[in-house]
Amino acid sequence: MKLKGIRVPHKKHTAASAPQRIPVPKLVTIPMSMHIGRPAKPIVKRGDTVKVGQLIAEADGYISAPVHASVSGKVQKIDEMVTAMGAKVQVVVIEPDGLQEISEEVKPPEVNDLTSFVAAVRNSGSVGLGGAGFPTFVKFSFNNDLSVVDAVVINAAECEPYITSDTRTLLDRADDVFAGIELLKKYLKVPRYVIGIEDNKPDAIAKARALAAKIEGVEVQVLPAMYPQGGEKVLVYNTLGRLIPQGGLPLDVGVVVINVTTLAFIAKYIETGMPLVEKCLTVDGSAIREPKNVIAPIGTPIADVIESAGGCKSEPAKVLYGGPMMGIAVPDLSAPILKNTNAIVVMDEAEARPPKTTPCINCGACLTNCPLRLDPRAIAKAYKMNEPEELKALCVDLCMECGCCSYVCPAKRHLVQTNKLAKAVVRSYDAAQKAKKEGTK
């Protein structure tokens, strides 16, 4: 038995589009928070000259990631911007000189054991490049207890409509992917590697199988093209049959999950020493004139990326970081490309127009199609009644916000948005209960 989901239009228009490097923009805006955890701390100031790959911000705390210059040029200012999520974050704004000079800091790291390997991954600035943005090195931090992991799942599912940047990694950089596997075999000493990939990517499957045959312990599992196949809990269950517990991590069931592009980047960093300074991403959507994959310096304005795809053929009504299921709408086209930006999807009015919402008809489609078998109807009711204990009983925190419930709802109710709000209610309630308990001690 496999966890289910929904069938969505693939719209993989750019699967055959090898990525093209776009021109260096006139200005890059590099946020200090492009990862889960604490923002990085800038170590440059206005007027400083920087080069490609130079450290411009240090990780601030354990769950954090350093940030590097994606262009050579002069630091114009240290400023603040409001992110697409509504939070304020520090940014380093750099005016490129067009030379793209490489920093003297860029050199292959010395790696000879697990500790130095984890340190190298941390110093690379690597985060989950499939969209999550979790600092990668944390996944490999086992306190040298290698016995806790017996399998690595490589996420090449790429289940959202439009996005094909991971597919291009397997097609164009398969050698880097398998060099990454060899590194994990050497330092993590994990015996089993499973590449999970959907069946709508035949060329990538063939490439992966050909290379997997050359490495012991590597297998390719072809999965149904079913959204959200790439969700961590879904992928681990559908490839290994292991159920990640509520509130748990893959590590709790002996698994490390890593995105295929992240793995390829790590291998390239160990070889060259060039940190994470550019991103391959898909540019597509009903308003885009020439859908394609591109490689852009981190911090490039979205407007420049859209221009590299021929601009818009119709007035854009909505622009997303990511795909149409879990993507986040951007406030304006000056917003920068981030480390974890895997796509820019630009919708015209017809595609972006929200459908009219009508009352729930209790059909149960949301429950039937939720990959984790949550009950969005009951969650919505408990949220409306402000019942945090009931929300906890309904396991609302398990919701991965994949949007399946909203997609299948015939009444077009905003179920995933309600789930997000309900999770916030639970967090607030738990914090209040904790404060109350500590106040009585």
Side-chain angles (χ1 to χ4, degrees), residues 53-390:
Q54 180 178 331
L55 183 71
I56 60 172
E58 296 175 332
D60 187 20
Y62 181 64
I63 307 295
S64 187
V67 178
H68 303 80
S70 61
V71 295
S72 62
K74 184 170 287 188
V75 176
Q76 191 185 76
K77 57 183 174 178
I78 310 295
D79 204 353
E80 275 192 343
M81 65 169 273
V82 178
T83 70
M85 299 295 288
K88 281 188 177 180
V89 62
Q90 264 194 319
V91 294
V92 174
V93 180
I94 304 172
E95 184 177 1
D97 56 20
L99 302 176
Q100 288 302 83
E101 290 185 275
I102 306 299
S103 169
E104 296 78 9
E105 298 174 9
V106 175
K107 53 186 177 181
E110 292 186 12
V111 177
N112 46 47
D113 57 14
L114 177 61
T115 300
S116 57
F117 174 69
V118 172
V121 174
R122 189 174 199 265
N123 293 336
S124 75
S126 177
V127 303
L129 300 183
F134 190 75
T136 308
F137 81 94
V138 178
K139 296 188 175 189
F140 304 143
S141 301
F142 310 140
N143 295 322
N144 287 318
D145 183 7
L146 299 177
S147 64
V148 300
V149 178
D150 65 359
V152 172
V153 175
I154 299 163
N155 190 349
E158 202 162 54
C159 55
E160 278 223 48
Y162 292 117
I163 308 173
T164 64
S165 51
D166 282 346
T167 298
R168 293 312 311 182
T169 294
L170 269 174
L171 292 175
D172 305 324
R173 302 179 57 200
D175 288 346
D176 288 338
V177 175
F178 284 87
I181 292 174
E182 294 283 19
L183 286 169
L184 299 190
K185 285 172 70 73
K186 182 175 181 179
Y187 296 116
L188 271 61
K189 304 189 186 307
V190 176
R192 187 181 180 192
Y193 297 81
V194 180
I195 301 174
I197 183 168
E198 288 189 327
D199 60 13
N200 61 350
K201 305 169 183 67
D203 292 343
I205 290 167
K207 194 70 166 283
R209 279 177 168 163
L211 287 169
K214 301 176 183 178
I215 307 178
E216 185 179 352
V218 181
E219 60 189 274
V220 178
Q221 284 203 25
V222 179
L223 305 166
M226 183 80 71
Y227 178 84
Q229 193 69 262
E232 201 169 63
K233 288 182 173 65
V234 176
L235 189 65
V236 168
Y237 187 82
N238 287 349
T239 53
L240 299 175
R242 301 181 191 180
L243 195 62
I244 299 173
Q246 184 176 355
L249 298 169
L251 207 58
D252 296 323
V253 292
V255 182
V256 166
V257 179
I258 185 166
N259 168 265
V260 66
T261 300
T262 306
L263 185 59
F265 163 73
I266 289 170
K268 204 66 180 174
Y269 173 75
I270 298 297
E271 177 190 345
T272 66
M274 178 59 74
L276 185 54
V277 296
E278 62 182 19
K279 191 66 172 63
C280 174
L281 63 146
T282 301
V283 192
D284 204 344
S286 52
I288 290 293
R289 192 180 304 279
E290 302 169 10
K292 62 176 64 174
N293 288 301
V294 302
I295 298 172
I298 289 165
T300 298
I302 288 175
D304 288 47
V305 174
I306 292 174
E307 186 62 30
S308 74
C312 292
K313 61 185 179 183
S314 57
E315 185 69 22
K318 181 178 285 187
V319 180
L320 300 173
Y321 279 128
M325 297 301 294
M326 294 186 73
I328 302 297
V330 299
D332 62 69
L333 299 185
S334 67
I337 297 304
L338 311 175
K339 288 182 179 182
N340 60 336
T341 304
N342 57 2
I344 295 296
V345 172
V346 186
M347 300 178 173
D348 61 19
E349 176 63 30
E351 188 178 24
R353 187 185 305 119
K356 183 180 178 181
T357 301
T358 58
C360 174
I361 60 172
N362 291 308
C363 65
C366 56
L367 171 61
T368 302
N369 289 279
C370 174
L372 300 181
R373 293 295 178 264
L374 301 181
D375 189 345
R377 298 170 305 172
I379 290 170
K381 182 179 178 181
Y383 170 72
K384 185 177 181 180
M385 300 297 291
N386 192 27
E387 297 176 337
E389 288 290 354
E390 180 64 14

Side-chain angles (χ1 to χ4, degrees), residues 380-401:
K381 182 179 178 181
Y383 170 72
K384 185 177 181 180
M385 300 297 291
N386 192 27
E387 297 176 337
E389 288 290 354
E390 180 64 14
L391 290 171
K392 292 175 73 170
L394 291 166
C395 302
V396 69
D397 282 347
L398 267 178
C399 174
M400 65 178 98
E401 301 173 15

